[in-house]
Amino acid sequence: MSLSLLVSSPASPTPFPRVLPERPLRAVLLGCGTVGGGVLDGIRQSLAGDVTVEAILVSRHRKGRAPGRFFTEAESVFAAGPRLVIDCLPDGELAERLLELALQSGADIVSANKAVIARRPDVAVRARERGQILRFSAAVGGELPVLETVSRVRGEGRAILAVAGVVNGTSNFVLDRLAEGAGLDTAIRAAQALGFAEADPSADLEGRDAAAKLTLIARAAFGRDPDSVTLEAIDAGTPGRVREAAACGYRLRQIAILRATNAGVEASVSLTPRAPGDPLGDVRDEENAVRISCEGGDTILLTGRGAGREATASSVLSDIRAVIAARCGR
Ligand SMILES: NC(=O)c1ccc[n+]([C@@H]2O[C@H](COP(=O)([O-])OP(=O)(O)OC[C@H]3O[C@@H](n4cnc5c(N)ncnc54)[C@H](OP(=O)(O)O)[C@@H]3O)[C@@H](O)[C@H]2O)c1
């Protein structure tokens, strides 16, 4: 499966033409927090003539949120008749329901919401069948082009054997603060204050966020979901393990691994000490690093900012640019 899901089969029903004359593209934004706020600023700064954000869904009204543009009911947002839906909501039932609504509305979709996209593989299939674009580059690796690279390698006919990485910037940031002597709660609060961690950080700490990313990578690398997933959480016992690792000059890292074996595709997220000089151990704070191992011994290493407003918004914006290019011929 490639990342960009433009329909390619002439036999598929295509209720929406590939290139619409409409420009600027009418968009709605679901969620305007850390990521959504960055996307809104980016559209204002660099895509103003190409995209208009007609309506924005948030959980509450507050100062600076113009009534008539910010809404708390999803129905009011979709009444704007969007051609593009940008999903920057937290994971949950609402995000899943609105993804379905977006699909049924015929709009193209750009999503930062890795958990929902991972849980609902049918959405990608249905989007392709209906001729809608679905892109979710921001869902894995922040500014790192992980899905794009994996899809490109596979498209070149090269087999991918394994993908290993630090794919959760929040956990990496928390582990670095623990290594400096902070307590677990203090480290989590610091990650939240900087916009790396959501209000509920459990998906990051328990490894579920990294596992959802591995699912998306597995679809791009192997065309299927992992057959087995094992998780290890950051918890009250982790500061002690961070100290033990540091005593030997190592750093404890949340390492996500995807491996093709004879038994199928195996995914794991575990806390592992990494030696100095190991690129997966040397990533700092919210950075991510991903190593893609290909048949024949080739490896590709990607490193960069994996979380936070700017890194994530820049990935969402590049997906929006791709939709504009496909729909408006720019
Ligand atoms: N933060 C990152 O570094 C990062 C990186 C990659 C992917 N992501 C993904 O991006 C998505 C957004 O993350 P974020 O960090 O931007 O989250 P966030 O800062 O918590 O923002 C969430 C936004 O959704 C709105 N919202 C929440 N519940 C709602 C509800 N019931 N009804 C209407 N609006 C609701 C919030 O409204 P209010 O503004 O009124 O509170 C807020 O605008 C998530 O799926 C996350 O996994 C985040």
Side-chain angles (χ1 to χ4, degrees):
M1 180 198 306
S2 70
L3 176 64
S4 174
L5 294 168
L6 258 178
V7 71
S8 57
S9 161
S12 304
T14 53
F16 308 102
R18 280 196 182 85
V19 178
L20 296 175
E22 177 191 348
R23 186 171 162 268
L25 207 58
R26 268 194 337 277
V28 296
L29 180 62
L30 309 180
C32 195
T34 303
V35 178
V39 171
L40 190 61
D41 283 350
I43 289 175
R44 266 195 216 117
Q45 285 159 16
S46 62
L47 290 174
D50 295 314
V51 179
T52 53
V53 179
E54 304 282 338
I56 301 167
L57 181 68
V58 287
S59 69
R60 60 189 186 281
H61 289 291
R62 60 175 190 235
K63 204 173 161 210
R65 292 183 164 175
R69 188 149 189 257
F70 284 83
F71 299 90
T72 54
E73 294 87 30
E75 290 65 27
S76 311
V77 171
F78 277 87
R83 305 301 309 175
L84 172 64
V85 173
I86 307 162
D87 177 10
C88 298
L89 285 172
D91 178 27
E93 186 273 329
L94 175 72
E96 198 164 330
R97 183 167 68 79
L98 298 190
L99 182 64
E100 184 64 39
L101 204 57
L103 193 62
Q104 286 169 16
S105 77
D108 295 319
I109 302 165
V110 168
S111 177
N113 208 321
K114 72 222 88 169
V116 172
I117 298 286
R119 209 165 46 238
R120 292 288 307 273
D122 61 296
V123 172
V125 175
R126 288 159 62 211
R128 185 170 48 223
E129 287 170 358
R130 292 167 58 89
Q132 287 163 262
I133 300 170
L134 169 64
R135 291 185 70 98
F136 44 88
S137 311
V140 181
E143 68 180 4
L144 276 67
V146 179
L147 295 174
E148 293 88 333
T149 304
V150 165
S151 298
R152 180 174 53 73
V153 169
R154 193 171 176 222
E156 290 166 357
R158 295 154 72 197
I160 293 171
L161 304 179
V163 179
V166 171
V167 295
N168 183 271
T170 304
S171 295
N172 206 59
F173 181 90
V174 165
L175 291 170
D176 272 356
R177 298 294 78 74
L178 296 181
E180 291 167 0
L184 187 54
D185 288 346
T186 307
I188 293 168
R189 277 198 301 276
Q192 287 167 328
L194 289 167
F196 304 144
E198 292 174 47
D200 175 1
S202 58
D204 296 319
L205 302 178
E206 291 169 8
R208 285 183 283 118
D209 176 89
K213 290 168 178 168
L214 287 180
T215 296
L216 298 180
I217 297 171
R219 286 180 199 155
F222 306 117
R224 57 191 282 191
D225 286 11
D227 299 286
S228 65
V229 183
T230 56
L231 303 182
E232 183 184 11
I234 293 174
D235 59 19
T238 306
R241 290 189 55 201
V242 168
R243 283 193 297 275
E244 279 168 26
C248 309
Y250 282 51
R251 286 190 167 257
L252 197 68
R253 291 287 173 240
Q254 187 197 63
I255 303 289
I257 299 180
L258 195 62
R259 206 178 269 123
T261 70
N262 290 339
V265 177
E266 293 173 359
S268 68
V269 180
S270 62
L271 300 176
T272 314
R274 307 298 288 215
D278 176 339
L280 303 194
D282 287 346
V283 284
R284 289 290 181 270
D285 298 332
E286 80 281 15
E287 282 177 358
N288 281 191
V290 173
R291 186 165 46 216
I292 302 163
S293 306
C294 310
E295 207 170 39
D298 288 354
T299 61
I300 299 166
L301 181 69
L302 303 169
T303 58
R305 293 173 306 168
R309 177 182 164 104
E310 278 175 41
T312 313
S314 93
S315 253
V316 173
L317 288 165
S318 80
D319 280 351
I320 294 172
R321 284 195 189 90
V323 174
I324 293 165
R327 296 307 192 195
C328 308
R330 279 169 53 93

